[in-house]
């Protein structure tokens, strides 16, 4: 569990770095039109989820590394993993709206 929490943190930081690059390469400004506003709002909300999940994972990792894990911590780690699934799976429709839909329309 300790190792996989660290792996989750590494992936979270890597995904945040990629997201920072994404923000710099978006081809629309937030105030250009409705599409731009939607793109920036979706990206911002998803980034907020990523940042809060990284913070949650970091706190759990610190607790697990400094103390002997108890039953309550196992539940916390399980819930944290489900939240990571949520964050990753919500990226699929957001990706479709941002990158695929403009090419189809």
């Amino acid at each position: 569990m300790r190792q996989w929490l660290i792996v989750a943190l590494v992936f979270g930081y890597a995904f945040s770095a990629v997201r920072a690059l994404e923000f710099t390469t978006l081809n629309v400004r937030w105030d250009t039109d409705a599409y731009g506003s939607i793109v920036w709002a979706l990206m911002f909300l998803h980034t907020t989820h990523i940042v809060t999940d990284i913070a949650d994972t970091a706190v759990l990792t610190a607790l697990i590394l400094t103390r002997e894990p108890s039953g309550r911590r196992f539940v916390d780690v399980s819930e944290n993993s489900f939240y990571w699934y949520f964050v990753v799976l919500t990226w699929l429709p957001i990706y479709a709206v941002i990158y695929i839909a403009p090419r189809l329309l």
Side-chain angles (χ1 to χ4, degrees), residues 27-95:
N27 61 350
V28 66
R29 288 176 35 102
W30 69 271
D31 58 352
T32 304
D33 52 16
Y35 174 75
S37 298
I38 291 169
V39 166
W40 279 85
L42 287 172
M43 294 282 285
F44 178 77
L45 289 172
H46 194 255
T47 303
T48 303
H49 282 93
I50 293 168
V51 169
T52 57
D53 204 10
I54 288 172
D56 184 31
T57 305
V59 169
L60 280 173
T61 303
L63 287 173
I64 296 297
L65 291 175
T66 58
R67 299 185 180 128
E68 190 61 34
S70 64
R72 191 174 84 192
R73 294 293 169 235
F74 293 124
V75 173
D76 292 341
V77 171
S78 176
E79 289 174 356
N80 180 262
S81 68
F82 284 123
Y83 193 70
W84 272 115
Y85 284 127
F86 165 76
V87 169
V88 170
L89 290 177
T90 56
W91 178 241
L92 298 175
I94 293 171
Y95 182 87

Side-chain angles (χ1 to χ4, degrees), residues 11-33:
F11 274 105
Y13 286 125
F15 192 66
S16 294
V18 171
R19 179 54 53 91
L21 291 173
E22 271 184 312
F23 272 116
T24 61
T25 59
L26 284 176
N27 61 350
V28 66
R29 288 176 35 102
W30 69 271
D31 58 352
T32 304
D33 52 16

